[in-house]
Amino acid sequence: MKAELFDFSIPVDRHGTWCTQWDYVADRFGVADLLPFTISDMDFSTAPCVLEALQQRLAHGVLGYSRWNNDDFTGAISYWMQSRFACKIDPQTLVYGPSVIYMVAEMIRQWSAPGEGVVVHTPAYDAFYKTISGNERKLVSVPLRHGGREWHCDMVELEQVLAQPKNRVLLLCSPHNPTGKVWRREELETMAALCARYDVKVISDEIHMDMVWGDSVHTPWSSVARSPWALFTSASKSFNIPALTGAWGMIGDTDSREAWFQALKNRDGLSSPAVLAVVAHIAAYRDGAAWLDALHDYLQANLHSVADALNAAFPALNWQPPQSTYLAWIDLRPLGIDGQALQQELIHHQKVAIMPGETYGAEGLGFVRLNAGCPRAKLEQGVERLIAGIHAVI
Ligand SMILES: Cc1ncc(COP(=O)(O)O)c(C=O)c1O
């Protein structure tokens, strides 16, 4: 199907669908009916091939218990990983779970004890903080630095942290939410060597792997790993199907994989996958490439429109679109504004919900995260209101 056949500019009214983004905005921002640019899902319908597959499955009518370990599902994953990332996967390593964070949480429990450290690059996706503290582990932060036009990790600092025996796990976010950093292969290889040296296991959350822009290339952790590893991902971000609840991954070693299935099926009673999520993944990975490529073009143009508008209003920001994700991580510190005053202005006067940067940890202070996964007309309104909000508090 030709890219022009997909039109992402048509708004879909999501009100009344119990969607977190629009219907529950008051839960986080205290006020209803704000124009939302918050949780990372998009305002677009999923790919037509996914909708057709779901409709066909629903038309069958029987939605009994199911299995994920079938050739259709594992074949679709192999095909996707090979065709998008030139990554040949070992089907023996494949695992399934209800969500990426559920899978991350289980591996943290398996690979560390209460009180031990989980190393995370910060700022970090807020659920990382919650799952690490919720499992009584200690979040050990390695701040990302911004230099030149890119975010990077100080490997000396990382080594000092990995060398401490209490720090058992590196929880990598690749690509990285919220900065959008795409890890270069050399950086991943350096981290893999350090983790092998200090016997640190690696959980790589690659849920944003399909949303990489420009010259950046996503390298799956499986292709650099040198110590025990688990890679978790899903089509949920790229095909906008997170509420179907389905994720998959790879766990490198047999013992950890068996322990994983023991926990999932026996301890937690989750033997059957959500069959609609399995159906959606098969369709997305087999037939969704053209839609995703068209979406890429649209989202990149969205991010460039954010840059153009912001930089025209505030040249000091010199904001550059991220290397990946539809999340605009905007550093407002050059303007010297009070972040709390800005939020009050955005919520109460501009009627817009934009994530305050500190949601993603202390390093996020002075930033905002604006979700650009929506039709351009909505995005333009949001950016206009952000600009007006900044003017009001500057
Ligand atoms: C890095 C990262 N991991 C995981 C998730 C959530 O995935 P799931 O709903 O499958 O747990 C998100 C959602 O924003 C994310 O950004």
Side-chain angles (χ1 to χ4, degrees), residues 38-41 97-104 124-128 172-178 205-208 232-234 236-237 242-243 245-248 325-327 369:
T38 62
I39 193 166
S40 56
D41 68 12
S99 78
V100 166
I101 292 300
Y102 173 93
M103 299 171 96
V104 166
Y125 171 46
D126 45 332
F128 281 13
L172 184 69
C173 192
S174 175
H176 184 261
N177 175 7
D205 174 339
E206 305 196 5
I207 199 168
H208 294 284
F232 298 130
T233 189
S234 173
S236 62
K237 289 288 144 203
T245 62
W248 64 273
T325 80
Y326 48 78
L327 306 166
R369 197 193 77 170

Side-chain angles (χ1 to χ4, degrees), residues 369-381:
R369 197 193 77 170
L370 175 106
N371 178 344
C374 59
R376 190 135 336 122
K378 175 194 166 196
L379 182 63
E380 283 168 357
Q381 269 192 52

